[in-house]
Amino acid sequence: LINKLKKCHTEAINDIAYINNTNYIIRGGDDNLTILWDYITNKLIRNYTIHDNIINSLSFIEDTKLIISGRYG
């Protein structure tokens, strides 16, 4: 799975989070993007461009369907 994700991105991937009961993962990295990905079909679902710097951590809150991404340092 990591190798499939790396082929689509030129920058480092810093965090990946699985979304329970779905085929989706979210990932964030040095390219400033939070990406929603279907790991079964190997397809990009959506790009979120909400940061102007590296993304270090991700989380998904199931009850609210909220994706949280952040940076530290």
Side-chain angles (χ1 to χ4, degrees):
L1 178 61
I2 298 298
N3 288 332
K4 288 180 183 179
L5 287 172
K6 283 183 179 179
K7 288 179 186 178
C8 298
H9 308 286
T10 58
E11 302 290 333
I13 297 170
N14 298 326
D15 199 11
I16 296 173
Y18 170 71
I19 301 175
N20 289 332
N21 302 317
T22 72
N23 297 337
Y24 297 150
I25 58 171
I26 51 174
R27 78 100 182 135
D30 288 357
D31 58 3
N32 311 340
L33 297 174
T34 300
I35 294 178
L36 181 63
W37 191 267
D38 185 322
Y39 65 87
I40 298 295
T41 64
N42 199 29
K43 291 186 179 179
L44 172 78
I45 303 302
R46 184 166 177 189
N47 268 338
Y48 299 91
T49 311
I50 53 177
H51 290 275
D52 60 359
N53 213 321
I54 294 169
I55 298 168
N56 297 109
S57 59
L58 294 165
S59 187
F60 180 75
I61 302 174
E62 260 185 78
D63 293 345
T64 63
K65 307 223 184 297
L66 181 66
I67 295 172
I68 299 171
S69 59
R71 178 177 187 269
Y72 54 86

